[in-house]
Amino acid sequence: MRIGEVARGAGVSVRALRYYEEQGLLVAERMPSGHRRYPKSAVERVRFIQLLYAAGLNSRTILQILPFLDTLVATPRMTQRLRDERDRLRTQIDDLTTVCDRLDELIGLAVRAESAPAECAAREEGKPADP
Amino acid sequence: MRIGEVARGAGVSVRALRYYEEQGLLVAERMPSGHRRYPKSAVERVRFIQLLYAAGLNSRTILQILPFLDTLVATPRMTQRLRDERDRLRTQIDDLTTVCDRLDELIGLAVRAESAPAECAAREEGKPADP
DNA sequence: CTAGAACCTGACGTTGGCGTGAGGTTCAAG
DNA sequence: CTTGAACCTCACGCCAACGTCAGGTTCTAG
């Protein structure tokens, strides 16, 4: 596949793919012309990379995890890395859940507050308050 | 309270507090000398700000949420903002959970892989493989 | 009174994950 | 053959949340 196809397939920019290559996350063969050529599996790989990015991992960490995906052979250091990241993720999920709950509380309060003085809503709409 | 006390109390840097002020997230009175003076509640407020930052909200968004904390009066636009952020958070939590599960899968595979060929571990230790 | 800790205001540096040209080559279609 | 899309390599730009240094003032303890 060509770089544009992979980009469209994975929903990222061409620039991003070149950046991943720069970081060593995604290798590509080259055609005689210099154009990059990717296997079809690249799309899935890029999606996974995006997932890890979204989870807050940086390129360096992803780089330490990805080789394992290819080989399915892990050194103790590597599995420890995986465990560390998983634990970090769990902690983060707990934190986010806490924030989510607090936002829910606030929303509960907010609804009551806005239903009380009708002026607020009216003011927000740019209308005068019920003459 | 003085800025150093708040910083230590909330576990952030003095620089961070000045930055929050710059962003309008944390107002401070001034002493005649120009030194900032905070109410005790500032510590809790800063902790909450940190929580929101950790949840991926940016200064602008936090700025839209914080006034509500003080007044407990919300415009429809504000509650919608809260709801949007909560929903975004839920989605993100789901994503992170997905990643977490995938990492767990990988860890399961990794353990088996490293227990099989003892060479890998040995190689990682920098020793030759059991001659 | 004096040292040193804590504070002040700029203002520039950093990091990561790309965006965005500039300027040139290659490919596919008519 | 030509044209326009897609590709290439630099290389600078950007944004957010601070870190950090400079150069100066203020507070507190002995």
Side-chain angles (χ1 to χ4, degrees):
Chain A
M1 297 178 78
R2 303 174 60 184
I3 193 171
E5 304 179 86
V6 176
R8 277 190 302 276
V12 303
S13 70
V14 165
R15 174 66 172 105
L17 295 184
R18 290 201 266 250
Y19 175 73
Y20 298 163
E21 182 171 330
E22 212 175 287
Q23 302 300 305
L25 302 178
L26 185 66
V27 283
E29 288 180 30
R30 296 302 184 113
M31 313 206 57
S33 60
H35 289 190
R36 291 171 177 82
R37 162 145 310 177
Y38 298 88
K40 281 152 208 150
S41 60
V43 173
E44 199 191 354
R45 190 184 181 90
V46 170
R47 287 222 181 91
F48 188 64
I49 292 176
Q50 286 285 104
L51 205 61
L52 294 182
Y53 272 133
L57 284 71
N58 58 23
S59 300
R60 210 171 51 84
T61 306
I62 296 178
L63 187 56
Q64 293 177 331
I65 288 178
L66 277 181
F68 167 67
L69 260 195
D70 302 328
T71 65
L72 283 183
V73 171
T75 64
R77 194 174 301 276
M78 224 146 145
T79 67
Q80 193 50 49
R81 190 77 200 165
L82 287 170
R83 263 190 273 264
D84 288 349
E85 288 305 324
R86 181 200 52 187
D87 293 346
R88 199 185 54 74
L89 265 181
R90 284 192 179 149
T91 303
Q92 193 184 347
I93 289 172
D94 288 349
D95 289 353
L96 292 190
T97 304
T98 300
V99 178
C100 208
D101 291 349
R102 295 226 35 191
L103 281 187
D104 258 343
E105 280 177 42
L106 287 183
I107 290 170
L109 290 172
V111 171
R112 270 175 273 161
E114 81 177 306
S115 64
E119 300 177 351
C120 300
R123 213 183 301 136
E124 179 71 7
E125 305 288 345
K127 303 169 195 167
D130 203 6
Chain B
M1 296 178 78
R2 302 173 59 186
I3 193 171
E5 303 179 86
V6 176
R8 277 190 302 276
V12 304
S13 69
V14 165
R15 175 67 173 100
L17 296 185
R18 291 202 265 252
Y19 176 74
Y20 296 164
E21 182 171 329
E22 215 173 285
Q23 302 299 306
L25 302 178
L26 185 65
V27 282
E29 290 181 27
R30 295 303 182 112
M31 315 204 57
S33 60
H35 289 192
R36 291 169 177 83
R37 171 144 52 196
Y38 299 87
K40 281 152 208 150
S41 61
V43 173
E44 198 191 355
R45 190 184 180 90
V46 170
R47 287 222 182 91
F48 189 63
I49 292 175
Q50 285 287 105
L51 206 61
L52 294 182
Y53 272 133
L57 284 71
N58 59 21
S59 299
R60 209 171 53 83
T61 307
I62 296 178
L63 188 56
Q64 294 177 330
I65 289 177
L66 277 181
F68 167 67
L69 260 196
D70 302 327
T71 65
L72 284 184
V73 172
T75 65
R77 194 175 299 278
M78 223 146 146
T79 65
Q80 193 50 50
R81 189 80 200 164
L82 288 169
R83 264 191 271 266
D84 287 349
E85 287 305 324
R86 182 200 51 188
D87 293 346
R88 199 186 53 76
L89 266 181
R90 283 192 180 148
T91 303
Q92 192 184 349
I93 289 174
D94 287 349
D95 289 353
L96 292 190
T97 304
T98 300
V99 178
C100 207
D101 291 348
R102 295 225 35 190
L103 280 185
D104 258 343
E105 280 177 42
L106 288 182
I107 290 170
L109 291 172
V111 169
R112 270 174 273 161
E114 82 178 307
S115 64
E119 301 177 352
C120 300
R123 214 181 301 135
E124 180 69 8
E125 306 287 346
K127 302 170 195 166
D130 201 6

